[in-house]
Amino acid sequence: MDIARPFCDTSEGDSKVVDSQDKLTTGREELTEDIEKEEKTQIQVTYNIVFVTAEAVPYLKTGGLGDVCGSLPVALAARGHRVMVVSPRYLHGSPSDKNLAGASDTGCRIKVYCFGGEQEVVFFHEYRAGVDWVFVDHPSYHRPGNPYGDIFGAFGDNQ
């Protein structure tokens, strides 16, 4: 059939001449609508994501790492991903310790070999802003200064 030539449309019982170009345009519009509907109904893929970091805002921040590891997990959780952040539970005997007050002892204790012997590690948890915040507690994290050092310089275990 020649596309440029008119043909008869008898869908309503009466014969009438319809321009074939009109039919082609209508078909394209329907196809475009179908494609747009398919694009809108795509399945959202979600992931389980774990961040392991030395610092995360609002719990502890010494620089840009704390900013990223405090905000990126929250943004990913808002997009539907399951997110967990694991960080040391630093206690410095300062007002910043109150940032960890919302974390509860999970009752989970494990023994690890480090510092020349067996050490007990305790886990704390807080669910905030759609993110699971897990804190690893050990006496080596309870010292003045920041995670990397104090007024005398870098901690020896950070070398």
Side-chain angles (χ1 to χ4, degrees), residues 115-145:
F115 303 119
E118 191 175 78
Q119 306 288 321
E120 183 178 69
V121 177
V122 181
F123 295 91
F124 286 74
H125 175 262
E126 179 177 8
Y127 185 78
R128 185 186 59 77
V131 177
D132 286 294
W133 303 86
V134 177
F135 301 98
V136 180
D137 191 45
H138 182 268
S140 66
Y141 299 139
H142 305 177
R143 55 187 175 190

Side-chain angles (χ1 to χ4, degrees), residues 16-28:
K16 61 181 178 179
V17 176
V18 177
D19 187 356
S20 61
Q21 288 300 105
D22 291 340
K23 282 285 189 190
L24 286 176
T25 303
T26 304
R28 264 189 242 132

Side-chain angles (χ1 to χ4, degrees), residues 75-133:
L76 291 170
R79 291 178 153 238
H81 301 288
R82 183 172 180 211
V83 184
M84 177 184 289
V85 178
V86 181
S87 181
R89 184 173 179 255
Y90 297 112
L91 296 176
H92 307 292
S94 68
S96 67
D97 292 353
K98 73 179 182 329
N99 295 339
L100 294 163
S104 301
D105 186 337
T106 64
C108 180
R109 283 148 171 70
I110 63 169
K111 304 279 186 189
V112 294
Y113 185 83
C114 64
F115 303 119
E118 191 175 78
Q119 306 288 321
E120 183 178 69
V121 177
V122 181
F123 295 91
F124 286 74
H125 175 262
E126 179 177 8
Y127 185 78
R128 185 186 59 77
V131 177
D132 286 294
W133 303 86

